[in-house]
């Protein structure tokens, strides 16, 4: 009777040890799967997918470089665009593209402030999505063109 | 006592933060630059010398060597991926150049005396002029050392902060168990969004490094030694001076220390460490426009918080994020599996019971902010949730790695 109990106890311990061992084995296996998936995901995206599908972005706002010389020293200039901007922090964001265009111009022209709501600044950076609309603005005659490196991009002086 | 490896991993981001803090102090407090450097670097050096470290040598077996090999292989793939991404996008991800690199460029180009223009309310608020200056000032300082702007500076810093986060996790966990160190490191370098955030030059990775530094010091310190507590406070202060979210991390780490230690002295020591960076933060916040989220009326925020439609959207998006393998791979699934099935059978590191809840409390607080903010909850969730998790991710791995599991009595006695 005692022997039976002992062997039962041993068997129970052995079963438990085996279960724990299996658990550890599976834990290690799952950990390996998680890490391998992550490494493959990183490698695939950056070393295979991106080179095939993304042009990349070697520069941001390179088109504005010529303007920097012309506005150097001006603490702030106006900003004009055909794309609306999100200017109210309490309102839902609605003009992602316009915000990104402004950010590009501001990144390139820092430390000159692009005052998006200014109506008085004598110098104005015009950055349009549609070049024809910039032509329309110029036809009204309120501005003279100081520089127009691209059809949709110009530095204007208020007349 | 911390290991020598952990001490080195901690000193790199700490001195980067001190160099950056000194440059901002010179501007905000009208100090001569050399004096600001002395004021910031001397206490940092004193703290570094008084933080005692010991060599850590543990022999590894064959299984250990395989693990080390797996870690270095994964780290090599992560580094190659990050560098390849950096070459395609040298200015960093959108937020990097719209916020952090823009500010660095501005501070460098404006020069001494012209810094204030970088925080003008005339700048579109999405440039977030109120964001703390640790990273931009560090990049600008790099430009000053080089004498010109270079994308290599911000790219190098992105990779550096990612690498020291990994080093801190590995070194802190190695103090407990050699193989756990490499397991933790492997878990971190194989996390796709963490590697991408480092390559994208986002401030989220430096923030993660500082939070991890603070947690690593709290976990590995000898009870009764005040120096690691001061240093942990300094790291939490650096986190607060990196991003606004860091203020929440600092508050929750301080609360956890108070609850774990049940002594006001511990909280005071932690606060002493955080003080220089908190002083910078307060001085800075008093000079710049208020954060856009604070411009919404409290009653409106409260209504949004209780809006069942927003709550349901957030819950749906959160569940979807866990199983959406494109971003996090299987890492979030593994974390949820750990929380549901393994956490109960384990115990947090001695004296860190409340600290182990810090990541969960931070995520809960962030979800409440997401509900209360005025913008579309789905849009804001998509653009912020991965970063919020990245802030905590190395600390989560570290805290899980330090837990003792009931099935392994050898580890629980190793304490």
């Amino acid at each position: 009777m005692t022997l039976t109990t002992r062997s039962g106890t041993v068997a129970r311990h052995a079963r438990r040890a085996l279960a724990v061992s299996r658990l550890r084995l599976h834990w290690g296996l799952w950990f390996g799967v998680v890490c391998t998936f992550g490494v493959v995901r990183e490698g695939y995206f950056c070393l295979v997918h991106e080179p095939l599908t993304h042009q990349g972005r070697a520069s941001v706002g390179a088109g504005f470089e010529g303007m920097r010389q012309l506005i150097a020293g001006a603490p702030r200039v106006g900003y004009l665009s055909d794309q609306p901007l999100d200017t109210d922090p309490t309102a839902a964001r609605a003009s992602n593209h316009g915000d990104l265009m402004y950010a590009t111009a501001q990144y390139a022209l820092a430390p000159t402030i692009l005052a998006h709501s200014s109506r008085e600044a004598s110098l104005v950076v015009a950055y349009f999505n549609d070049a024809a609309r910039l032509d329309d603005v110029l036809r009204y005659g309120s501005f003279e063109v100081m520089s127009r490196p691209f059809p949709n991009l110009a530095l204007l002086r208020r007349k | 006592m911390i290991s020598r490896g952990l001490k080195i991993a901690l000193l790199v981001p700490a001195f980067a933060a001190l160099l950056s803090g000194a440059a901002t102090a010179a501007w905000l407090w009208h100090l001569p630059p050399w004096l600001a450097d002395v004021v910031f670097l001397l206490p940092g050096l004193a703290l570094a010398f008084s933080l005692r470290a010991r060599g850590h040598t543990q022999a590894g077996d064959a299984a250990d060597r395989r693990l080390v090999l797996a870690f270095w292989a994964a780290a090599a793939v992560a580094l190659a991926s990050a560098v390849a991404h950096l070459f395609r996008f040298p200015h960093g991800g959108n937020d990097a150049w719209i916020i952090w690199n823009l500010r660095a460029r501005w501070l460098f180009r404006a020069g001494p005396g012209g810094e204030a223009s970088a925080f003008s309310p005339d700048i579109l608020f999405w440039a977030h002029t109120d964001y703390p200056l640790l990273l931009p000032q560090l990049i600008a300082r790099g430009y000053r050392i080089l004498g010109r702007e270079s994308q290599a500076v911000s790219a190098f810093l992105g990779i550096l902060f990612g690498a020291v986060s990994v080093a801190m996790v590995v070194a802190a966990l190695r103090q407990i168990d050699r193989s756990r160190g490499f397991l933790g490191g492997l878990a971190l370098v194989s996390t796709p969004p963490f590697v991408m955030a480092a390559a994208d030059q986002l401030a989220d990775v430096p923030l993660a490094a500082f939070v991890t530094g603070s947690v690593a010091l709290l976990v590995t310190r000898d009870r009764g030694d005040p120096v690691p507590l001061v240093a942990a406070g300094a790291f939490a202060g650096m986190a607060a001076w990196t991003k606004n979210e860091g203020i929440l991390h600092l508050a929750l780490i301080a609360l956890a220390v108070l609850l774990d230690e049940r002594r006001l002295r511990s909280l005071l020591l932690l606060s002493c460490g955080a003080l220089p960076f908190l002083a910078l933060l307060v001085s800075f916040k008093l000079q710049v426009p208020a954060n856009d989220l604070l411009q919404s009326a409290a009653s409106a925020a409260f209504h949004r918080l209780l809006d069942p439609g927003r709550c349901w959207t957030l819950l749906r998006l959160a569940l979807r994020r866990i199983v959406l393998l494109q971003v996090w791979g299987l890492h979030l699934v593994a974390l949820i599996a750990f929380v549901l099935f393994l956490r109960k059978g384990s115990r947090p590191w001695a004296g860190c019971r409340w600290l182990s809840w810090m990541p969960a409390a931070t995520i809960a607080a962030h979800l409440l902010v997401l509900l209360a903010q005025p913008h579309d909850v789905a849009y804001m969730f998509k653009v912020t949730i991965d970063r919020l998790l990245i802030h905590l991710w190395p600390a989560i791995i570290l805290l899980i790695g330090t837990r003792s599991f009931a099935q392994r009595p050898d580890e629980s006695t190793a304490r």
Side-chain angles (χ1 to χ4, degrees):
Chain A
M1 188 69 188
T2 314
L3 273 176
T4 313
T5 307
R6 269 185 193 160
S7 74
T9 307
V10 169
R12 200 165 57 244
H13 278 288
R15 272 199 302 275
R16 185 177 295 171
L18 197 64
V20 169
S21 165
R22 274 184 189 153
L23 193 73
R24 276 191 201 163
L25 181 70
H26 289 154
W27 177 86
L29 187 72
W30 284 117
F31 184 80
V33 169
V34 169
C35 293
T36 306
F37 189 92
V39 171
V40 170
R41 160 77 179 75
E42 285 166 9
Y44 170 75
F45 185 77
C46 295
L47 303 173
V48 179
H49 177 76
E50 265 192 352
L52 290 176
T53 59
H54 286 262
Q55 290 291 316
R57 192 175 46 227
S59 66
V60 176
F64 293 88
E65 282 303 313
M67 283 186 194
R68 275 187 66 202
Q69 308 297 325
L70 298 171
I71 62 170
R76 65 206 292 273
V77 297
Y79 177 78
L80 196 64
S81 178
D82 58 346
Q83 297 296 303
L85 292 174
D86 290 304
T87 54
D88 181 2
T90 61
R93 190 167 194 174
S95 314
N96 209 9
H97 185 56
D99 296 345
L100 207 59
M101 286 171 67
Y102 172 89
T104 306
Q106 184 62 89
Y107 181 68
L109 298 174
T112 298
I113 298 165
L114 293 188
H116 54 83
S117 55
S118 169
R119 298 283 173 269
E120 297 87 37
S122 60
L123 287 178
V124 176
V125 171
Y127 188 20
F128 281 59
N129 199 41
D130 180 1
R133 298 183 76 174
L134 177 55
D135 289 332
D136 290 343
V137 169
L138 295 177
R139 259 196 295 276
Y140 286 125
S142 317
F143 298 101
E144 63 173 305
V145 178
M146 290 183 69
S147 161
R148 194 170 179 183
F150 292 96
N152 67 329
L153 179 63
L155 179 64
L156 311 175
R157 186 191 298 277
R158 221 179 275 276
K159 282 181 181 169
Chain B
M1 196 185 292
I2 65 170
S3 68
R4 200 172 295 145
L6 180 57
K7 185 171 176 176
I8 293 167
L10 289 167
L11 287 181
V12 173
F15 276 92
L18 290 167
L19 278 173
S20 163
T24 308
W27 162 52
L28 283 174
W29 300 336
H30 309 290
L31 298 174
W34 66 267
L35 183 61
D37 281 346
V38 169
V39 166
F40 269 74
L41 291 178
L42 272 188
L45 281 171
L47 198 61
F49 278 117
S50 43
L51 199 61
R52 285 172 297 150
R54 61 173 157 77
H56 190 82
T57 48
Q58 270 186 24
D61 55 13
D64 215 36
R65 278 194 291 278
R66 282 198 294 273
L67 186 58
V68 173
L69 198 66
F71 166 73
W72 284 112
V77 173
L79 183 64
S81 304
V83 170
H85 185 76
L86 271 168
F87 272 105
R88 303 191 75 74
F89 299 93
H91 291 265
N94 278 357
D95 267 19
W97 63 264
I98 290 173
I99 301 169
W100 312 107
N101 293 344
L102 164 67
R103 203 90 67 245
R105 179 178 267 201
W106 204 306
L107 294 169
F108 175 69
R109 288 180 181 176
E115 295 96 337
S117 64
F119 313 99
S120 164
D122 285 340
I123 300 169
L124 193 65
F125 76 93
W126 284 107
H128 296 295
T129 50
D130 71 296
Y131 279 12
L133 284 185
L134 191 148
L135 184 61
Q137 195 66 267
L138 187 60
I139 298 170
R141 200 141 193 193
Y143 291 166
R144 276 180 220 122
I145 291 166
L146 277 182
R148 63 184 174 86
E149 287 171 27
S150 167
Q151 276 79 55
V153 174
S154 47
F156 171 74
L157 288 172
I159 300 287
L160 179 74
F161 277 106
V164 293
S165 304
V166 175
M168 281 191 268
V169 169
V170 173
L173 289 177
R174 273 186 76 174
Q175 281 192 236
I176 296 158
D177 179 285
R178 186 179 152 89
S179 58
R180 281 192 189 204
F182 288 106
L183 282 172
L186 186 55
L188 189 52
V189 294
S190 66
T191 307
F194 183 78
V195 174
M196 288 303 292
D200 272 337
Q201 306 170 23
L202 299 174
D204 306 283
V205 175
L207 174 57
F210 294 127
V211 172
T212 311
S214 186
V215 170
L217 279 159
L218 291 173
V219 167
T220 55
R221 78 203 150 103
D222 290 331
R223 300 291 178 272
D225 184 358
V227 178
L229 260 180
V230 177
F235 270 87
M238 291 166 199
W241 182 232
T242 306
K243 282 194 85 177
N244 288 339
E245 292 91 328
I247 301 167
L248 177 65
H249 293 119
L250 168 65
L252 289 174
I253 286 172
L255 183 64
V257 165
L258 183 66
L259 291 172
D260 278 328
E261 297 268 325
R262 309 261 172 196
R263 281 191 311 174
L264 200 60
R265 181 174 172 268
S266 302
L267 183 64
L268 287 174
L269 287 169
L270 191 92
S271 308
C272 278
L275 204 59
F277 293 96
L278 282 181
L280 275 181
L281 186 66
V282 172
S283 303
F284 174 71
K285 291 285 181 183
L286 290 174
Q287 295 202 17
V288 296
N291 184 267
D292 51 283
L293 294 182
L294 299 177
Q295 293 174 33
S296 183
S299 58
F302 190 67
H303 276 109
R304 285 192 291 266
L305 195 63
L306 299 178
D307 182 346
R310 286 171 77 90
C311 293
W312 169 242
T313 305
L314 195 63
L315 179 68
R316 194 167 44 81
L317 289 169
L319 292 174
R320 192 163 168 263
R321 200 52 159 195
I322 294 165
V323 293
L324 193 74
L325 306 185
Q326 286 97 322
V327 184
W328 280 83
L330 292 164
H331 283 70
L332 285 185
V333 178
L335 176 65
I336 298 299
F338 170 81
V339 170
L340 293 178
F341 303 115
L342 292 172
R343 194 182 170 281
K344 264 193 172 177
S346 65
R347 280 182 296 122
W349 190 246
C352 295
R353 192 163 72 90
W354 287 100
L355 187 67
S356 71
W357 284 101
M358 186 275 287
T362 312
I363 291 168
H366 280 315
L367 292 179
L368 291 179
V369 172
L370 273 175
L371 279 176
Q373 54 78 34
H375 307 292
D376 175 37
V377 73
Y379 172 78
M380 290 303 281
F381 180 89
K382 281 175 192 163
V383 297
T384 58
I385 192 66
D386 296 325
R387 294 168 197 191
L388 301 177
L389 289 168
I390 285 165
H391 302 163
L392 296 164
W393 191 245
I396 288 174
I397 291 173
L398 180 54
L399 287 167
I400 290 176
T402 55
R403 294 181 80 87
S404 62
F405 293 85
Q407 290 91 336
R408 305 191 71 173
D410 53 317
E411 282 173 13
S412 56
T413 52
R415 291 181 188 184

